[in-house]
């Protein structure tokens, strides 16, 4: 009898580790919290809520948005990075918390490269080069020529130091050989006010914000920052077409989880995300907001991770060239 019990112990020991994958296979058993690190009403919130609606239908459990804003998205992102990695806390976030905030913030409450695990990219939105209608500039080559003829005269605004449009500006300076002087604003609204008032000559903006200015004749869009022309403005060339080879930058939204989330859960979420992005209602809403759903490669954990890694490396290199230092 004792011998039989003794022989059973190794088998019990071997069986114990199997419990974790079994629980992962049963996921989800309860509601899933999806953190959006901004206030309600913005692009991330709108896309996040629609994503949650469709994930709830597909998973059989509620996926619920929690808005947790502050510190340029860092508060919400940190809450997810420090959460239990069990598949019940996720993050929908753009470039800032995933790649850019560390360029200007010395005391990050989390490390996006090691504490957040990519599941898949959701969408991307093109940016564009916008100039005041008061400038005698109608294309990118004229902008470059004007800057060279009037060194130090042109300023270019962004929504803040280290923002995606600031990185786009510094990329432009590097590739075009220009010296557009960066002027950081506290968000897009005051920058656009100065652009319309003729106090800001150049602005790198999201295409969706700039299109109304173009239609009202208040500004000109010289080029978009993606590799392909935007279906929203098919007549506007890309920066690559305008002479800046290999120029590409865009804002994006990605779905991530705390590092350590079981691979089975991450794989299931990636598959469900891809299926949701193929839904006509999801595609239509993202396109209505000026975006595009992510392509098949970027919807995978590996593809999204590789993209985010490259995006961080590129941003760090541009920031170093521009002399940006975390504060």
């Amino acid at each position: 009898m004792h011998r039989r019990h003794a022989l059973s112990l190794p088998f019990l020991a071997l069986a114990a580790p199997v419990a974790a994958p079994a629980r992962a296979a049963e996921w989800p058993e309860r509601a899933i919290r999806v953190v959006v690190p901004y206030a309600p009403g913005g692009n991330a919130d709108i896309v996040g809520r629609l994503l949650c609606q469709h994930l709830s239908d597909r998973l059989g459990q509620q996926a619920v948005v929690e808005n947790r804003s502050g510190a340029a998205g860092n508060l919400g992102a940190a809450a997810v990075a420090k959460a239990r990695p069990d598949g019940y806390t996720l993050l929908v976030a753009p470039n800032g918390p995933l790649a850019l905030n560390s360029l200007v913030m010395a005391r990050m409450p989390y490390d996006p490269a090691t504490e957040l695990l990519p599941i898949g990219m959701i969408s991307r939105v093109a940016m564009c080069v916008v100039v005041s209608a008061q400038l005698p500039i109608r294309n990118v080559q004229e902008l470059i020529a004007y800057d060279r003829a009037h060194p130090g005269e042109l300023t270019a605004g962004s929504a803040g130091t280290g923002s995606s449009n600031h990185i786009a500006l510094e990329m432009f300076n590097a590739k075009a050989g220009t010296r557009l002087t960066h002027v950081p604003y506290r968000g897009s609204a005051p920058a656009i006010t100065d652009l319309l008032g003729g106090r800001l000559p150049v602005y790198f903006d999201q295409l969706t914000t700039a299109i109304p200015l173009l239609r009202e004749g208040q500004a000109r869009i010289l080029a978009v920052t993606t590799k392909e022309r935007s279906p929203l403005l098919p007549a506007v060339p890309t920066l690559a077409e305008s002479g800046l080879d290999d120029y590409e930058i865009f804002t994006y939204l990605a779905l991530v989880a705390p590092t350590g989330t079981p691979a089975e859960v991450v794989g299931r979420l990636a598959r469900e995300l891809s299926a949701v992005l193929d839904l006509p209602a999801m595609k239509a809403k993202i396109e209505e907001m000026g975006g595009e759903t992510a392509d098949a490669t970027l919807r995978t954990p590996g593809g999204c991770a590789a993209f985010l890694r490259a995006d961080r490396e590129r941003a760090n290199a541009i920031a170093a060239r521009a002399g940006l230092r975390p504060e």
Side-chain angles (χ1 to χ4, degrees):
M1 182 72 67
H2 294 293
R3 174 178 163 80
R4 188 162 54 246
H5 284 304
L7 286 173
S8 69
L9 291 177
F11 291 97
L12 290 174
L14 288 171
V18 177
R23 291 196 60 80
E26 295 165 6
W27 178 94
E29 299 176 298
R30 53 186 169 85
I32 301 163
R33 179 174 63 134
V34 180
V35 174
V36 172
Y38 303 101
N43 284 6
D45 179 66
I46 293 169
V47 172
R49 288 181 187 278
L50 188 57
L51 175 64
C52 281
Q53 175 188 323
H54 291 301
L55 284 178
S56 297
D57 293 341
R58 296 185 63 85
L59 294 172
Q61 293 286 352
Q62 287 296 306
V64 183
V65 165
E66 177 184 313
N67 296 97
R68 196 157 183 173
S69 60
N74 278 2
L75 289 185
V80 174
K82 308 302 182 184
R84 184 191 296 269
D86 54 10
Y88 292 99
T89 303
L90 308 175
L91 176 71
V92 169
N95 313 45
L98 298 179
L100 301 181
N101 287 355
S102 59
L103 300 178
V104 292
M105 298 180 181
R107 303 183 71 176
M108 289 285 288
Y110 65 100
D111 184 344
T114 62
E115 294 186 89
L116 292 173
L117 183 66
I119 295 168
M121 188 175 291
I122 301 168
S123 61
R124 70 174 194 170
V125 177
M127 301 177 72
C128 58
V129 185
V130 189
V131 297
S132 168
Q134 299 178 29
L135 279 180
I137 295 172
R138 298 187 178 278
N139 59 56
V140 169
Q141 288 304 317
E142 287 182 4
L143 173 61
I144 295 171
Y146 189 97
D147 177 72
R148 290 174 180 169
H150 305 82
E153 179 180 318
L154 289 180
T155 57
S158 79
T161 300
S163 62
S164 55
N165 37 14
H166 180 201
I167 297 301
L169 160 62
E170 298 298 348
M171 272 184 69
F172 184 91
N173 276 339
K175 287 186 175 290
T178 50
R179 295 186 178 182
L180 303 176
T181 303
H182 175 231
V183 179
Y185 285 80
R186 292 182 178 271
S188 293
I192 290 173
T193 297
D194 278 1
L195 181 76
L196 300 183
R199 295 178 294 276
L200 180 66
V202 184
Y203 187 50
F204 284 73
D205 198 8
Q206 284 198 355
L207 192 59
T208 45
T209 311
I211 285 176
L213 308 181
L214 173 70
R215 289 174 176 164
E216 294 166 13
Q218 298 173 304
R220 299 188 191 99
I221 299 177
L222 304 186
V224 295
T225 62
T226 44
K227 284 184 179 179
E228 303 84 20
R229 295 191 181 198
S230 169
L232 298 175
L233 287 177
V236 175
T238 67
L239 278 169
E241 289 176 315
S242 303
L244 277 64
D245 293 343
D246 299 322
Y247 189 109
E248 182 181 38
I249 189 171
F250 49 82
T251 61
Y252 53 81
L253 284 175
L255 182 66
V256 302
T259 295
T261 300
E264 297 91 338
V265 172
V266 171
R268 171 83 185 278
L269 278 166
R271 292 191 296 273
E272 299 297 352
L273 171 65
S274 187
V276 168
L277 293 179
D278 284 333
L279 294 174
M282 192 75 184
K283 291 173 70 73
K285 188 62 178 179
I286 289 174
E287 289 171 3
E288 177 188 315
M289 297 167 65
E292 303 171 62
T293 54
D295 64 36
T297 300
L298 294 179
R299 296 180 192 182
T300 66
C304 186
F307 173 86
L308 290 177
R309 185 164 52 250
D311 194 45
R312 291 187 195 105
E313 290 172 356
R314 177 178 61 175
N316 286 332
I318 294 169
R321 181 187 179 279
L324 286 182
R325 295 288 184 272
E327 297 178 0

